[in-house]
Amino acid sequence: MFCTSMIDVADEFGVPSFIFFTSPASVLGFILHIQASHDGEEGLDITEFEGTELAVPSWANPIPRWAFPNNVVKKELIQSFYRIARDFRRTKGILVNSVKELESCAVDALSSSGGNKVYPVGPILNLKGADGGGTKKEEVIEWLDRQPKSTVVFLCFGSMGAFREEQVREIANGLEASGLRFLWSLRRPGPEGTRAAGPTDYEDVGEILPEGFVERTAEVGRVIGWAPQTTILAHRAVGGFVSHCGWNSTLESLWFGVPMATWPMYAEQKLNTFLLVNELEVATEIRMSYSSESGETVTAKEIERGVRRLMERDGSREEKLKRFNDGVRKALMDGGSSSSSITEFIEDVRNGGT
């Protein structure tokens, strides 16, 4: 989705171009909408948008200003987004890692817009290879095996998710105050001002946690570094997932039917949060408007309240989650919506991308 310069190469060789879009269809609709609104008579400059919310055809509800991705409200970056969106429109079609039953509003809006053909082909997940193995994984699973069913809160913030010391201490205090069982993937931030290096594991998590925290919570909690996420989400003991709402993690959570509490960090994750909480109504929140760039701190009280709400029984939320869990699994079966969409894409390629 960020390699659109290859379209020029494909055009030179007379090869039809397709995009694989790894975020939700609703986010694709948002990107195309702000570009069309900018280039059209409306002349919208999203970086100067002063309203409290923006109506977008691929969303059932207007999108609040706080949910806009940070990069699209930065003057120095927005032109790149417009260029990418224009390039998207040059392709024969866009494959989206989503499911029609999950994002029917967005898929229907995109399909009826008269623009690119959209193929919802998800969920495309790596449920085995990414987890790795080794002693640490075995120790984590052995610990989970000793916990009662659906009682553990799993906290994991993706491959780039890490917090400064003050925020780590607030998370620890919130978890301890909740009294809930927890499994927390805690990682050290990369060097200040760079994302390329990425987080690493602490040699000793005790150096960053409140004094005595590990000892006081030893019966109910476990703090680890890198986490075998899909293996953990598949475990019967896990009853809730505090997540940064990256789309892969979101699809994994839906695949395994694990309720989510949203804590977005960067990129389109605030939009994903709004989708999960307000559109699909399958998630609760820690703080929906959080951004790793803001320097703000989520308090222990917010975290305690959020994880307690996550682990409470909610019939309506559970019913919706079960429906979407069934939907994403059936989509890839023979005759399912994504299976049919993949077949349609293959036929279109065989016919020259028409």
Side-chain angles (χ1 to χ4, degrees):
M1 57 192 276
F2 293 122
C3 300
T4 57
S5 58
M6 292 301 295
I7 296 172
D8 293 332
V9 179
D11 287 347
E12 185 175 341
F13 284 91
V15 177
S17 297
F18 295 83
I19 291 290
F20 177 50
F21 191 78
T22 56
S23 293
S26 50
V27 172
L28 173 62
F30 173 81
I31 292 173
L32 292 174
H33 177 75
I34 62 171
Q35 173 265 319
S37 298
H38 173 267
D39 292 355
E41 294 181 4
E42 187 177 346
L44 173 69
D45 183 346
I46 198 69
T47 65
E48 297 180 357
F49 183 76
E50 296 181 354
T52 57
E53 55 188 23
L54 178 69
V56 177
S58 57
W59 293 72
N61 298 295
I63 301 172
R65 173 67 177 73
W66 60 257
F68 294 177
N70 288 354
N71 288 349
V72 306
V73 295
K74 293 179 178 179
K75 286 281 188 182
E76 67 272 22
L77 296 176
I78 188 59
Q79 293 301 325
S80 295
F81 271 85
Y82 292 152
R83 177 184 56 76
I84 288 171
R86 294 183 195 111
D87 285 344
F88 283 1
R89 297 182 186 277
R90 297 169 53 200
T91 65
K92 294 292 186 179
I94 304 175
L95 291 82
V96 184
N97 190 13
S98 192
V99 179
K100 179 174 175 58
E101 288 81 359
L102 184 64
E103 292 195 273
S104 58
C105 178
V107 172
D108 289 344
L110 289 165
S111 299
S112 63
S113 66
N116 306 72
K117 194 167 187 177
V118 173
Y119 307 86
V121 296
I124 297 175
L125 301 171
N126 184 354
L127 299 178
K128 296 180 180 179
D131 274 354
T135 304
K136 288 186 177 180
K137 176 179 175 180
E138 293 174 359
E139 291 175 355
V140 169
I141 301 307
E142 288 174 1
W143 183 83
L144 285 171
D145 287 343
R146 298 194 295 270
Q147 310 309 312
K149 182 179 179 181
S150 300
T151 59
V152 175
V153 178
F154 175 43
L155 300 91
C156 189
F157 299 93
S159 59
M160 301 303 296
F163 297 99
R164 64 190 189 284
E165 183 174 350
E166 180 185 359
Q167 185 62 80
V168 168
R169 291 179 177 274
E170 291 295 320
I171 296 173
N173 291 333
L175 288 174
E176 185 172 3
S178 76
L180 294 167
R181 290 178 170 84
F182 65 87
L183 177 63
W184 179 10
S185 175
L186 172 61
R187 310 195 74 203
R188 183 194 299 275
E192 188 70 26
T194 177
R195 186 175 287 176
T200 55
D201 287 358
Y202 288 97
E203 291 185 11
D204 177 12
V205 294
E207 69 182 82
I208 191 73
L209 293 168
E211 185 176 356
F213 171 81
V214 174
E215 293 74 20
R216 292 192 302 272
T217 60
E219 295 299 316
V220 296
R222 186 79 183 267
V223 182
I224 60 175
W226 171 89
Q229 181 166 292
T230 54
T231 299
I232 292 170
L233 289 173
H235 199 283
R236 61 168 185 79
V238 175
F241 181 26
V242 178
S243 171
H244 64 307
C245 302
W247 192 236
N248 283 338
S249 293
T250 297
L251 289 175
E252 289 168 4
S253 186
L254 291 169
W255 180 266
F256 292 112
V258 179
M260 295 178 66
T262 63
W263 190 335
M265 304 284 289
Y266 54 87
E268 91 290 8
Q269 292 163 12
K270 288 188 290 185
L271 277 177
N272 296 351
T273 290
F274 185 69
L275 173 69
L276 291 166
V277 175
N278 294 80
E279 299 266 304
L280 304 182
E281 299 179 332
V282 295
T284 59
E285 64 170 294
I286 300 295
R287 185 187 289 181
M288 294 172 67
S289 60
Y290 183 86
S291 167
S292 58
E293 297 179 4
S294 67
E296 61 194 74
T297 299
V298 181
T299 67
K301 284 291 185 183
E302 288 177 90
I303 295 161
E304 177 189 358
R305 183 170 60 249
V307 295
R308 284 183 179 276
R309 189 165 56 238
L310 170 65
M311 299 301 282
E312 290 172 353
R313 297 296 301 271
D314 183 321
S316 176
R317 189 178 70 215
E318 290 176 358
E319 181 181 346
K320 291 183 175 72
L321 180 60
K322 178 64 167 62
R323 185 170 75 248
F324 289 128
N325 170 250
D326 290 341
V328 297
R329 286 178 172 266
K330 290 177 180 177
L332 290 176
M333 296 179 181
D334 288 345
S337 60
S338 293
S339 176
S340 298
S341 193
I342 292 169
T343 300
E344 184 178 5
F345 164 68
I346 293 170
E347 288 299 315
D348 287 346
V349 172
R350 291 178 60 186
N351 292 327
T354 57

